[in-house]
Amino acid sequence: MKKAYSIFLVLMLAVGILAACGPDREESAGGNEGSNTDGGKPEKLVVWEDTDKSVALEPAAKAFEEEHGIKVEFKEYGIAEDMRNQIRLDGPSGKGPDVLTLPHDQIGMLAEEGTIQEISVEQSVLDTFTESSIQAQTYDGKLYGLPKATETPVFIYNKELMPEAPATMDEVYEFAKDFTDGKKFGFIALWDNFYHAYAVIGGMGGYVFGEKDGALQRDDLGLNNEGAVAAAEYIQKWYAEGLFPKGVIGESGGSAQDGLFNEGKIASVQNGPWAFQGYTDAGIDIGAAPMPTLPNGEPMTTFMGVKGWHVSAYTKNKEWSTKLVEFLTNYDNAKIRYEKTKEIPPVKKLIEDPIIADDEFSKAVAVQSQYAIPMPNIPEMAEVWGPMATALQTLATNKAEPKEAMEEAAKSIQTNIETNHSK
């Protein structure tokens, strides 16, 4: 028995010696293959960033390396869809990133399929951000990232035609009635597009999905309630009275609106910060303000988009990846991002900083964001866009009564959810 045990020990020692003398594992080009698991410090972390935005990431990456001794490599991707598709391929093979950026409305889908993972941070970290931006990073009651930038539609006006932004939509309506003559228009909004129309629907009491315990409820649809129908009536009124041009509808509506505004034929529009540069380049002296309040006295509840930093489900460095996400979104690095890219981080302290507070355009977005809500990030949201576009376009062309249109849309949405998202 002793002899057998001695042979066993000799064999085990030989195996250990061979393993120690074996070749080192090659370092992967990706962010997670071959790196240390949590508990050790990795040599590097890999980040996937939006195109032309790494100018803001680079100084933060250098600061993180100096502070923690971990190199941060980054790669840019053109559109979110490319990044989303690539991580599905590279993640499982160990060549994907540790951290990546995504629009918040993709969180539900990627969380469900196991591409990104829940993170945990101190409450003191969460408290540095606006409540709505943290809500945007939450899916099914769990936190999946921290916000880096936010955007939402605001009121943009031609200062030559409209010297000051009206405070209420009643004032906008009266201005439009006097100014509009079929060739020029006082105000235009793409209210046949659900993204823009929700500003009115939400502000008048409609909603997409109800919420319970921090999770959106797919069976609680509020697009045909009393407030939503009142919003539909209000929207139809602008089209029926000829206050919006007939050509600004459907898929080409956005380009038609921008063309008219750039020609000086529109005094004001509801549009996002992505339009600022184009309008300015066209030679228009523009102003920007939060959306005027609705006839019921409530602010417009615009949809808000939030870009965030997320931890890949495939990383072997979850703890350090989470620390990097916290670092990239802290006040100092958020301020650098704003200075470099003009993206507005939803960091409370930064919103109050003169760098944003004294900038007319950034302030308009920041203030309106306080009234905005994140676009729902559950997969069932995919079933909302089509039926709502149909309903709104029938309103814009006066082919349906508001209540009828909203009831039909809600019915279609619910049917599609039950068909395509079985529990």
Side-chain angles (χ1 to χ4, degrees):
M1 185 73 173
K2 290 182 178 179
K3 183 177 179 180
Y5 184 69
S6 298
I7 293 173
F8 174 76
L9 288 178
V10 171
L11 290 172
M12 291 301 294
L13 179 61
V15 171
I17 291 172
L18 288 172
C21 296
D24 291 337
R25 185 178 180 180
E26 288 186 2
E27 184 177 331
S28 167
N32 47 60
E33 185 178 291
S35 57
N36 294 322
T37 56
D38 280 335
K41 183 183 288 188
E43 292 183 4
K44 70 175 181 179
L45 294 171
V46 175
V47 179
W48 285 1
E49 168 68 292
D50 292 322
T51 297
D52 298 330
K53 295 297 190 294
S54 60
V55 64
L57 181 59
E58 187 172 6
K62 289 181 179 178
F64 188 83
E65 183 176 358
E66 291 174 2
E67 183 171 329
H68 297 289
I70 300 173
K71 183 175 178 58
V72 178
E73 294 183 356
F74 45 86
K75 179 178 181 179
E76 291 187 347
Y77 274 86
I79 58 175
E81 184 179 3
D82 290 343
M83 193 182 300
R84 186 176 70 236
N85 291 335
Q86 197 62 43
I87 192 174
R88 288 167 173 158
L89 297 173
D90 291 351
S93 67
K95 297 179 181 179
D98 298 284
V99 172
L100 70 159
T101 186
L102 293 166
H104 83 271
D105 58 336
Q106 297 183 8
I107 291 175
M109 173 176 57
L110 295 181
E112 287 283 353
E113 67 183 39
T115 301
I116 58 174
Q117 61 180 300
E118 179 186 2
I119 65 171
S120 177
V121 301
E122 296 292 331
Q123 184 62 44
S124 59
V125 173
L126 297 179
D127 289 343
T128 64
F129 302 98
T130 62
E131 184 179 349
S132 58
S133 68
I134 291 299
Q135 180 186 352
Q137 302 300 297
T138 304
Y139 172 69
D140 201 22
K142 299 175 183 178
L143 183 69
Y144 281 91
L146 291 179
K148 74 166 184 174
T150 184
E151 62 182 17
T152 194
V154 294
F155 189 81
I156 305 174
Y157 59 103
N158 182 330
K159 290 184 175 180
E160 184 178 340
L161 304 177
M162 180 183 282
E164 294 182 358
T168 70
M169 283 304 297
D170 283 342
E171 294 174 72
V172 176
Y173 175 76
E174 292 302 326
F175 177 91
K177 291 283 284 186
D178 292 338
F179 186 86
T180 302
D181 62 7
K183 294 183 180 179
K184 62 182 190 301
F185 301 85
F187 172 70
I188 291 181
L190 303 177
W191 285 344
D192 67 310
N193 179 316
F194 183 55
Y195 175 81
H196 288 282
Y198 188 77
V200 181
I201 295 170
M204 289 192 168
Y207 57 89
V208 186
F209 301 110
E211 185 179 332
K212 182 180 180 181
D213 299 328
L216 294 173
Q217 305 297 301
R218 71 177 203 168
D219 295 326
D220 181 5
L221 200 65
L223 291 173
N224 59 337
N225 66 12
E226 185 177 346
V229 172
E233 292 171 349
Y234 184 73
I235 287 171
Q236 190 175 56
K237 168 184 172 180
W238 283 79
Y239 289 96
E241 295 185 12
L243 298 177
F244 290 171
K246 293 181 179 180
V248 181
I249 191 170
E251 294 183 3
S252 62
S255 58
Q257 172 186 263
D258 290 344
L260 289 170
F261 191 86
N262 288 339
E263 292 171 8
K265 295 179 180 179
I266 304 176
S268 61
V269 294
Q270 174 186 313
N271 211 340
W274 51 83
F276 291 156
Q277 191 62 52
Y279 292 163
T280 301
D281 290 345
I284 306 298
D285 181 15
I286 62 171
M291 291 303 299
T293 56
L294 289 162
N296 63 357
E298 295 296 324
M300 283 203 180
T301 308
T302 49
F303 268 147
M304 176 173 66
V306 181
K307 276 289 187 77
W309 290 115
H310 307 274
V311 175
S312 166
Y314 304 104
T315 181
K316 294 183 179 179
N317 301 294
K318 178 180 179 179
E319 180 180 346
W320 281 103
S321 296
T322 302
K323 287 182 179 180
L324 177 58
V325 167
E326 290 186 38
F327 191 82
L328 294 177
T329 55
N330 67 26
Y331 171 80
D332 291 332
N333 290 314
K335 187 171 184 177
I336 291 172
R337 174 164 290 276
Y338 173 74
E339 292 172 335
K340 299 282 187 180
T341 68
K342 289 302 179 182
E343 292 179 300
I344 300 175
V347 176
K348 294 176 185 176
K349 183 179 175 183
L350 187 56
I351 292 172
E352 298 168 357
D353 191 296
I355 195 173
I356 287 181
D358 293 346
D359 183 287
E360 178 182 4
F361 303 108
S362 298
K363 182 180 179 181
V365 177
V367 172
Q368 182 60 39
S369 293
Q370 297 178 34
Y371 308 121
I373 69 162
M375 284 184 292
N377 61 10
I378 61 176
E380 289 82 355
M381 184 62 184
E383 311 304 337
V384 174
W385 300 105
M388 284 306 301
T390 299
L392 291 166
Q393 288 181 19
T394 61
L395 294 174
T397 55
N398 205 32
K399 293 179 180 178
E401 293 297 319
K403 184 174 179 60
E404 173 192 350
M406 301 305 276
E407 290 282 2
E408 185 62 32
K411 182 180 178 181
S412 296
I413 292 167
Q414 204 64 61
T415 298
N416 292 344
I417 288 175
E418 292 170 0
T419 302
N420 300 323
H421 303 270
S422 58
K423 294 183 180 180

